[in-house]
Amino acid sequence: MPERKTRRLAGDEGGIQEAARLLRAGGLVAFPTETVYGLGAHALDPTAVAGIFQAKGRPADDPLIVHLADQSWLDQVARAVPDRAHRLAERFWPGPLTLVLPKQPAVPDSVTAGLATVGVRVPAHPLAHRLLVQADLPIAAPSANLFARPSPTRAEHVLDDLAGRIDAVLDGGPTPVGVESTIVDVSGAEPRLLRPGGIPAEAIAAVLGTTLLPPPRPGEHAGPQAAPGLLDVHYAPRTPLVLVLGSPSAARARLRQEIERYRAAGKRVGALLPLDDRELLPEGVHVEWLGAWAEPERSAARLFDALRSLDRAGLDVLLARLPADPERGLGRALADRLNRARQESVFADEAAP
Ligand code: TXA
Ligand code: MG
């Protein structure tokens, strides 16, 4: 892959103009959205899109999300938009909701990994919006990380992964939501949740007046594209992560035991914990704190930055427990990302002291 000189552009009018110029010329530009940084390219230019897959080391069967300045651009990339998609767009755009819809022929097959559908969203971040308006193009953008690494929530994370591989990053500081968009497939007879994310699935179901079909489980369907991009291991730190599952009290007790066990074996241990566990405060353990159990938004905003910090700390093993109710609100997205980041799960026994 030819080396590129990666520029860090300020998140001001000059930076936006330059980022838009690069995108129009077929370049690769990372930019902030309200969820995570995206790695953008001209969505209707197959050569530019090919650059995204090359820069990330992303497999070609993992489709990209197309970003639009507003709902009026939808017809450029999607067709036969059902009424329920319009209702969701009215309610949640701009915002962290991706809708999977039948695609327009103008969208290159490389964007959609050969699927007949395309994922689209209108991001709420002001810099993303101004960039889309200035470039005046639909922008294809996956998260701006190397394949299978945690998504980037700061410009530094983008540079850590992609410096020398992309043309620029537009620096907008930390992204506020911190986990990726919720993806709903509204192209079929019944709406299906494909990925929990920044908009709670309950809020989407309430607007639709129906429950969402659950994401297909890995291996549930034959064929590589049954659950595109939903690989089991994803978002992973390089240091092995052990996820302790179970009720909060049982998981907490087991976590303390596991930390002691690893330390007795001479391991350097890191932990990713909700603020409720402050009194666990094991000495000599590198801890990254998320929000309290009752504050999933705060935990989501910290999650990927915390995983990357732990990964840089030169540790042998990372221990974590879920920082929120995995069945509700943003807790669903947090549980999903931690399940994909973990190398191993341990189930805390309710009967244990
Ligand atoms: O918040 C986000 O969604 C961020 C920001 C940058 O917008 N983007 C993001 O993109 O997370 P990425 O590439 O990391 O995840 C895109 C995922 C794919 O892996 C796939 O699971 C799903 O979106 N997807 C895209 N198009 C699809 C389609 N036509 N059918 C089914 N799933 C699709
Ligand atoms: Mg991604």
Side-chain angles (χ1 to χ4, degrees):
M1 194 178 72
E3 172 96 359
R4 302 190 191 212
K5 188 177 165 304
T6 305
R7 295 161 62 197
R8 186 177 189 143
L9 302 172
D12 57 18
E13 221 30 69
I16 291 167
Q17 297 276 354
E18 184 56 15
R21 190 191 66 74
L22 286 166
L23 286 169
R24 292 192 65 85
L28 298 178
V29 179
F31 61 98
T33 78
E34 74 280 24
T35 57
V36 301
Y37 277 75
L39 176 56
H42 186 332
L44 307 180
D45 174 348
T47 309
V49 168
I52 292 179
F53 288 89
Q54 205 178 24
K56 287 194 52 146
R58 179 174 175 113
D61 66 358
D62 190 354
L64 308 178
I65 294 172
V66 176
H67 296 68
L68 310 175
D70 62 62
Q71 209 184 322
S72 71
W73 288 20
L74 202 48
D75 294 339
Q76 293 183 46
V77 294
R79 56 176 192 81
V81 179
D83 175 59
R84 61 169 175 253
H86 283 299
R87 295 212 310 278
L88 292 175
E90 288 298 332
R91 173 69 183 79
F92 297 113
W93 284 356
L97 174 67
T98 294
L99 297 174
V100 171
L101 291 162
K103 87 173 187 79
Q104 282 288 2
V107 179
D109 285 338
S110 52
V111 170
T112 61
L115 296 172
T117 54
V118 61
V120 289
R121 83 179 190 97
V122 174
H125 197 292
L127 285 182
H129 179 74
R130 281 154 66 197
L131 178 61
L132 282 156
V133 169
Q134 194 64 47
D136 198 20
L137 299 168
I139 298 178
S143 51
N145 50 279
L146 281 175
F147 177 65
R149 295 273 295 143
S151 291
T153 57
R154 297 170 180 273
E156 294 77 38
H157 299 164
V158 175
L159 291 169
D160 285 347
D161 279 14
L162 299 177
R165 306 170 76 91
I166 65 175
D167 295 301
V169 55
L170 183 63
D171 189 350
T175 58
V177 177
V179 291
E180 303 88 342
S181 60
T182 304
I183 305 179
V184 180
D185 185 347
V186 282
S187 68
E190 286 180 86
R192 183 186 284 277
L193 177 68
L194 293 182
R195 176 176 76 183
I199 304 271
E202 303 91 292
I204 294 165
V207 168
L208 294 177
T210 148
T211 55
L212 298 172
L213 297 174
R217 271 181 293 173
E220 189 180 305
H221 300 277
Q225 300 199 333
L230 299 178
L231 299 179
D232 199 25
V233 175
H234 217 119
Y235 311 105
R238 298 193 170 99
T239 320
L241 182 127
V242 179
L243 182 60
V244 180
L245 296 168
S247 71
S249 58
R252 193 189 273 191
R254 179 66 186 269
L255 208 120
R256 195 182 291 131
Q257 287 172 7
E258 291 292 324
I259 289 174
E260 290 315 325
R261 196 169 66 77
Y262 278 109
R263 294 183 68 202
K267 302 287 188 203
R268 286 160 303 179
V269 179
L272 181 70
L273 300 174
L275 277 176
D276 315 67
D277 291 355
R278 251 172 316 204
E279 82 280 12
L280 267 183
L281 268 188
E283 231 177 279
V285 173
H286 181 122
V287 184
E288 287 288 331
W289 297 108
L290 298 172
W293 179 267
E295 303 176 303
E297 291 78 15
R298 195 160 153 206
S299 292
R302 285 273 304 123
L303 180 70
F304 290 130
D305 190 39
L307 281 174
R308 282 178 177 260
S309 295
L310 286 167
D311 221 6
R312 278 194 306 268
L315 303 164
D316 298 311
V317 64
L318 310 178
L319 287 150
R321 75 171 180 100
L322 295 181
D325 183 344
E327 305 293 329
R328 283 186 49 216
L330 278 191
R332 221 184 281 265
L334 287 164
D336 174 78
R337 303 308 185 269
L338 280 169
N339 270 311
R340 293 176 200 278
R342 62 134 178 59
Q343 193 159 85
E344 192 186 317
S345 304
V346 168
F347 291 88
D349 181 356
E350 300 296 328

